[in-house]
Amino acid sequence: MSPRLILVLGDQLSPDLSSLCAGDRAIDVVLMAEVMAEASYVRHHRKKLAFVFSAMRHFAEELRQAGWRVDYVRLDNPANTGTLQGEVQRALARHRLGQTLATEPGEWRLMETMRGWDATELLPDDRFVADRHGFAQWAQDRKGLRMEHFYRLMRRKTGLLMVGDQPAGGQWNFDMDNRKPAKSNVAMPRPLPFPPDPITREVLDMVAGRFDDHFGDLEPFWFATTRAEAEQAFAHFLKTSLRDFGAYQDAMLRDHKFLHHAFVAVYLNAGLLDPLEMCRAVETEWRAGRVPLNSAEGFIRQIIGWREFVRGVYWWRMPGYAASNALEAHRPLPEFYWSGDTPMACLRACIAQTREEAYAHHIQRLMVTGNFALLAGIDPHELHEWYLAVYADAYEWVELPNTIGMSQFADGGLLASKPYAASGAYIHRMSDYCGDCAYDVKAKAGPRACPFNLLYWRFIARHKQRLSRNPRMAQMVRTWERFSPEKQAQLVNDADAFLAVLG
Ligand code: FAD
Ligand code: DLZ
Ligand code: SF4
């Protein structure tokens, strides 16, 4: 076999990557390249940029120590062409090589580009439980697509939380136990922080200098940037947070950005952690009696259920999926999604912590920023670009179906069985935001009414034809229809007045 160039991307930082396993460290050259095209296809949060570049540089060192010849091109290298294709061409010439080997990229945009490269072999990305072609086959043959059905297959495939061929505890899903609001508590755990080492410091200086027009606070920077650190961070989660992960999964608190969440998607999606190893470790905690089943099952479901399911949907439905807009929502994204400057305390808190940490947990993304956009009729594509930019764990294969499908119902119900639309009462029940708000969560109409209350009914009214056909929403349409014409008119007028000010 003649020597080849092995391209490793910024979210492929796994020693058992298919391209590395197929390569020969005695003769092949690994190329890793920091390029402006990847750093700017959306205006990524500055912490995300620092994380990706630092983790790439650390991984290159680890590969060298493992005996690989690594050619690493920095962003500030004057000869850097700014694109992956340009860097592959330059590296092929530099090393007098004729062939490139790579693991398939995670995003459709890059897959299209790389498929057009000469003399390039692309290997499947086998760091997932489900194969994407197998998913498409499974999905195609079904009438309705539901995560729960797919999840059961994955439980059986992996044997996780199984007793013979039955689910542990006699139930597949313990979500009903997982809806407790949380109380602010000084002893709340938080993710393990890592002080920046010299490699990270150098990256922080570079990002500060070159990306000052991007969103987000760069410092304090405390993320893990190596596999060893990410494993420590996950072990810390198992010890301090997993026990209560399930019960408080949907809770939101002003002073606790992470609650009992794992803060691992950023590491997992870059390849620093392995999903099956994580799930096995969680199962071990449950089998040892250290955590309850609802927490272990809840965590495992997110990883082998939702994470794999959204990836399957992404590859099955792209490229058309990105343009879905079933609810015909065309309002521009309000400026306050970037500035956080809004009297709505829930949105202000979620956006502030997004700016600080490049992080918000699932319910903040789904039921605050996502819910508001859904109710207000924000253009789903603009919203998608926002989510893709602002979260450190965001890559299109996982972000897009969560935004377009789960959060905005823009795929017309392919991914989610009902729109995640809720009034202020839900946010009030699950958080402590409302006490700090200029609006009154109990008020249903008038200038002080919580905007979620006003917009909720406008949403139901606007989409009543579609929603009345959905068994999980038809009841709300009937409630709307029982309102007097005067009440309906007032709710819609007040909502429109709010939206007019929103711009
Ligand atoms: P935890 O709450 O501790 O959950 C554990 C793990 O489960 C996560 O790390 C993640 O890997 C997985 N997981 C949980 N829910 C989902 C889900 N719905 N889809 C896929 N994986 C899931 N997740 C991303 O990884 N990247 C994204 O870009 C992303 N964008 C999102 C956009 C929207 C609008 C919504 C509603 C959700 C999005 N999610 C995304 C899913 C979820 O919000 C994040 O995975 C989670 O908040 C990450 O924080 P954590 O590691 O503390 O997760
Ligand atoms: C996210 C990201 C960033 C910011 N920069 C780079 C980069 O400079 N070089 C690189 O190889 N990868 C980077 N990445 C990750 C890619 O964007 C990612 O591999 C694709 O989006 C496919 O998922
Ligand atoms: Fe959000 Fe409404 Fe509560 Fe204000 S009153 S924090 S807008 S839910």
Side-chain angles (χ1 to χ4, degrees):
M1 173 77 74
S2 29
R4 290 183 286 185
L5 186 71
I6 304 181
L7 174 67
V8 173
L9 301 170
D11 55 353
Q12 297 184 337
L13 310 181
S14 316
D16 55 357
L17 192 70
S18 53
S19 54
L20 292 171
C21 292
D24 181 348
R25 68 189 78 188
I27 56 171
D28 294 335
V29 178
V30 171
L31 172 69
M32 296 182 70
E34 298 170 4
V35 293
M36 264 325 255
E38 292 307 306
S40 59
Y41 68 91
V42 287
R43 296 201 318 157
H44 302 286
H45 193 296
R46 299 195 307 157
K47 268 200 172 83
K48 176 181 181 183
L49 289 171
F51 165 73
V52 173
F53 294 149
S54 175
M56 284 176 72
R57 291 183 187 191
H58 282 95
F59 187 67
E61 272 317 305
E62 284 168 20
L63 288 180
R64 284 189 188 113
Q65 275 159 28
W68 288 97
R69 197 168 149 209
V70 181
D71 186 348
Y72 192 95
V73 183
R74 291 178 177 224
L75 195 73
D76 47 14
N77 179 329
N80 191 324
T81 54
T83 66
L84 288 168
Q85 184 165 16
E87 287 317 293
V88 166
Q89 291 303 329
R90 284 203 318 126
L92 287 170
R94 226 170 17 248
H95 300 285
R96 296 179 206 288
L97 298 172
Q99 303 270 331
T100 305
L101 177 65
T103 292
E104 288 177 343
E107 299 192 347
W108 193 87
R109 141 197 89 78
L110 204 50
M111 184 81 100
E112 280 303 283
T113 308
M114 288 174 70
R115 276 185 180 145
W117 293 356
D118 291 337
T120 301
E121 186 185 357
L122 295 180
L123 299 176
D125 189 345
D126 54 16
R127 298 172 299 165
F128 294 88
V129 181
D131 158 71
R132 65 187 180 87
H133 302 290
F135 181 94
Q137 195 71 52
W138 172 82
Q140 218 140 287
D141 297 342
R142 302 186 69 84
K143 271 217 194 96
L145 201 60
R146 286 297 155 253
M147 196 291 287
E148 190 63 31
H149 301 147
F150 169 79
Y151 168 55
R152 292 177 191 187
L153 285 181
M154 294 301 105
R155 287 275 291 278
R156 289 206 158 99
K157 179 172 178 181
T158 58
L160 283 161
L161 300 182
M162 296 298 292
V163 180
D165 71 344
Q166 290 307 307
Q171 259 172 255
W172 290 100
N173 181 319
F174 291 84
D175 226 13
M176 286 311 280
D177 302 344
N178 291 357
R179 294 181 183 159
K180 294 204 175 88
K183 284 225 161 49
S184 199
N185 169 358
V186 279
M188 188 77 78
R190 60 155 290 156
L192 196 62
F194 297 88
D197 69 359
I199 294 180
T200 303
R201 275 259 66 96
E202 211 179 337
V203 166
L204 290 171
D205 291 344
M206 182 182 81
V207 172
R210 296 178 77 114
F211 297 95
D212 61 348
D213 56 339
H214 281 222
F215 173 79
D217 297 353
L218 183 58
E219 306 226 32
F221 183 89
W222 52 273
F223 295 0
T225 52
T226 64
R227 191 175 189 80
E229 286 179 350
E231 281 169 356
Q232 274 182 53
F234 183 59
H236 173 80
F237 161 74
L238 294 179
K239 214 164 99 195
T240 62
S241 290
L242 177 61
R243 188 168 55 89
D244 289 326
F245 173 85
Y248 301 116
Q249 219 174 325
D250 290 2
M252 299 176 276
L253 288 176
R254 257 196 319 260
D255 295 335
H256 300 284
K257 302 171 193 169
F258 307 98
L259 284 121
H260 299 276
H261 292 274
F263 193 79
V264 286
V266 54
Y267 307 141
L268 182 57
N269 295 347
L272 299 184
L273 292 173
D274 176 82
L276 263 184
E277 277 174 22
M278 290 163 73
C279 291
R280 302 231 183 275
V282 166
E283 182 180 34
T284 301
E285 291 302 294
W286 169 66
R287 291 201 186 275
R290 288 189 285 269
V291 303
L293 185 53
N294 67 308
S295 284
E297 189 280 318
F299 187 87
I300 288 172
R301 175 157 30 89
Q302 307 311 320
I303 303 277
I304 65 167
W306 279 113
R307 184 171 186 266
E308 296 281 337
F309 183 71
V310 299
R311 176 175 183 261
V313 169
Y314 177 77
W315 284 110
W316 179 42
R317 301 308 278 222
M318 280 299 276
Y321 200 66
S324 313
N325 194 351
L327 300 185
E328 296 181 40
H330 298 294
R331 187 175 300 282
L333 187 74
E335 178 51 32
F336 72 71
Y337 271 72
W338 298 106
S339 67
D341 185 8
T342 165
M344 290 177 276
C346 51
L347 280 153
R348 199 167 61 232
C350 293
I351 292 164
Q353 77 165 70
T354 299
R355 188 178 55 241
E356 288 157 16
E357 307 292 9
Y359 179 81
H361 67 69
H362 186 66
I363 292 299
Q364 294 175 312
R365 297 185 206 195
L366 186 65
M367 300 311 294
V368 180
T369 45
N371 183 20
F372 183 83
L374 173 69
L375 299 181
I378 307 296
D379 181 319
H381 201 80
E382 274 197 43
L383 186 72
H384 143 63
E385 291 193 333
W386 182 80
Y387 280 112
L388 188 58
V390 302
Y391 292 114
D393 53 40
Y395 298 89
E396 196 182 77
W397 65 266
V398 51
E399 174 278 326
L400 185 79
N402 268 298
T403 304
I404 294 287
M406 187 186 300
S407 157
Q408 299 302 295
F409 210 70
D411 63 3
L414 178 80
L415 190 140
S417 55
K418 74 172 194 70
Y420 281 93
S423 68
Y426 174 86
I427 296 173
H428 186 45
R429 186 165 68 250
M430 297 312 299
S431 80
D432 62 356
Y433 296 141
C434 299
D436 198 25
C437 190
Y439 294 102
D440 178 357
V441 71
K442 298 259 161 59
K444 307 273 187 265
R448 285 211 62 231
C450 164
F452 285 85
N453 294 345
L454 298 173
L455 295 174
Y456 181 79
W457 288 117
R458 182 180 176 277
F459 176 81
I460 299 287
R462 193 157 172 246
H463 301 292
K464 66 181 180 192
Q465 238 124 32
R466 177 187 288 272
L467 299 179
S468 60
R469 293 193 299 268
N470 184 316
R472 300 182 64 193
M473 296 300 290
Q475 176 62 38
M476 295 322 285
V477 176
R478 284 196 291 275
T479 305
W480 166 258
E481 279 171 345
R482 280 199 297 271
F483 290 166
S484 67
E486 296 73 33
K487 183 169 176 181
Q488 287 184 349
Q490 187 188 3
L491 284 167
V492 171
N493 281 346
D494 287 356
D496 285 345
F498 171 81
L499 288 174
V501 176
L502 195 65

